Amino acid sequence: MPNLLITNPQLIEFLSSAESVKVFERHRAELRSRIVTDEGMTLQGAFAVATFILIEKDINPASENVLAVAASLLDYSLFMEVSSH
């Protein structure tokens, strides 16, 4: 994960827990379909999925929280993609 300054205790707890992996896995297919388009890859999809996850987990979807979750999601998704080959 990129070096981000995360100060929201709820977000820290979520990203540090095994629950985040389960949530990311549930949203991995959606993330993949949203970031890969005919024009290439876009981060807008990652931000949309991250925002949805934050709302689902009742965590403030402030921009720094969205960025942290989007970066974690992309990191997780890339790891899973590489490890599956």
Side-chain angles (χ1 to χ4, degrees), residues 6-71:
I6 301 170
T7 58
N8 181 316
Q10 270 186 293
L11 183 58
I12 293 168
E13 182 179 334
F14 172 68
L15 291 176
S16 301
S17 71
E19 180 188 6
S20 66
V21 174
K22 293 174 187 172
V23 171
F24 290 173
E25 187 58 33
R26 269 199 334 262
H27 292 284
R28 192 158 60 109
E30 179 186 6
L31 175 67
R32 184 168 173 72
S33 70
R34 285 179 175 251
I35 66 171
V36 179
T37 67
D38 292 338
E39 293 82 37
M41 293 183 72
T42 174
L43 290 178
Q44 291 300 89
F47 294 138
V49 174
T51 301
F52 179 78
I53 288 171
L54 287 167
I55 292 169
E56 176 184 295
K57 300 308 299 173
D58 199 28
I59 300 172
N60 181 6
S63 58
E64 63 273 8
N65 295 345
V66 171
L67 180 59
V69 172

